[in-house]
């Protein structure tokens, strides 16, 4: 783990053979050799934020932090805030759809890689979301209330697109 200088690793994600680690203190690290050595990949993420969640889809990588979601398409060379403006503790991505789990505001979905966000909380009684996964045609949401909710991705994407078109 040479070069991995953060005191805590909160999340991991892979793009091909590249491994990313989200850590305490706003650092994202990249390993191109199966974790033998690491280098910072965080330009654009505030060093005061912790990176609690990482998710990848294709060549896109998303990082969930204390105050926003960040997005990179160049292996972490530069990051762009996605504009959610909330603490994000769980992420899942499939295609151009990105799900963000927040600490008290439920789940948000972007259908354009983080450009526009919409709440997708129908049926979600606990708004503290700490786990997200997409498997097949379903999204799974793990909450601070000890429950796991399953919803069809197509149902949420349709609702999100309808909401976005109303704006």
């Amino acid at each position: 783990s040479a070069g991995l200088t953060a005191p805590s690793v909160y999340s991991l994600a892979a793009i091909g053979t590249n491994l990313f680690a989200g850590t305490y203190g706003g650092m994202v690290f990249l390993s191109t050799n199966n974790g033998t050595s690491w280098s910072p990949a965080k330009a654009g993420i505030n060093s005061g934020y912790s990176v609690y969640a990482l998710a990848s889809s294709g060549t896109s990588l998303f990082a969930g932090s204390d105050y926003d979601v960040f997005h990179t398409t160049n292996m972490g060379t530069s990051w762009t805030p996605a504009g959610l403006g909330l603490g994000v503790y769980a992420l899942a991505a499939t295609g151009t759809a990105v799900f963000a789990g927040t600490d008290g505001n439920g789940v948000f979905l972007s259908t354009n890689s983080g450009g526009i966000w919409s709440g997708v909380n129908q049926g979600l009684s606990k708004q503290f979301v700490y786990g997200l996964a997409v498997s097949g045609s379903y999204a799974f949401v793990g909450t601070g209330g000890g429950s796991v909710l399953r919803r069809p991705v197509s149902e949420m994407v349709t609702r999100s697109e309808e909401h976005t078109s109303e704006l």
Side-chain angles (χ1 to χ4, degrees):
S1 294
L4 188 58
T5 57
S8 298
V9 175
Y10 294 135
S11 55
L12 296 168
I15 296 178
T17 59
N18 296 303
L19 184 61
F20 295 87
T23 69
Y24 175 81
M27 296 292 289
V28 175
F29 290 88
L30 166 65
S31 175
T32 59
N33 56 11
N34 294 315
T36 301
S37 62
W38 298 85
S39 59
K42 70 149 209 118
I45 299 178
N46 185 321
S47 61
Y49 300 170
S50 290
V51 178
Y52 295 109
L54 292 170
S56 64
S57 181
T59 59
S60 288
L61 180 66
F62 300 89
S65 76
D66 297 300
Y67 299 102
D68 208 344
V69 174
F70 294 86
H71 178 223
T72 183
T73 57
N74 57 17
M75 304 306 257
T77 299
S78 62
W79 296 81
T80 304
L84 183 58
L86 296 169
V88 174
Y89 298 91
L91 288 168
T94 180
T96 59
V98 183
F99 296 89
T102 66
D103 190 28
N105 293 290
V107 177
F108 287 81
L109 168 65
S110 172
T111 58
N112 60 357
S113 298
I116 298 173
W117 296 90
S118 298
V120 288
N121 295 309
Q122 181 180 359
L124 186 63
S125 61
K126 304 292 183 187
Q127 301 290 303
F128 296 88
V129 177
Y130 302 118
L132 284 168
V134 176
S135 179
S137 60
Y138 290 97
F140 296 85
V141 179
T143 70
S147 63
V148 175
L149 177 71
R150 179 186 83 165
R151 284 188 58 198
V153 170
S154 60
E155 178 184 302
M156 289 185 283
V157 168
T158 300
R159 286 188 58 86
S160 174
E161 288 173 348
E162 287 171 358
H163 175 71
T164 300
S165 67
E166 294 171 2
L167 297 177

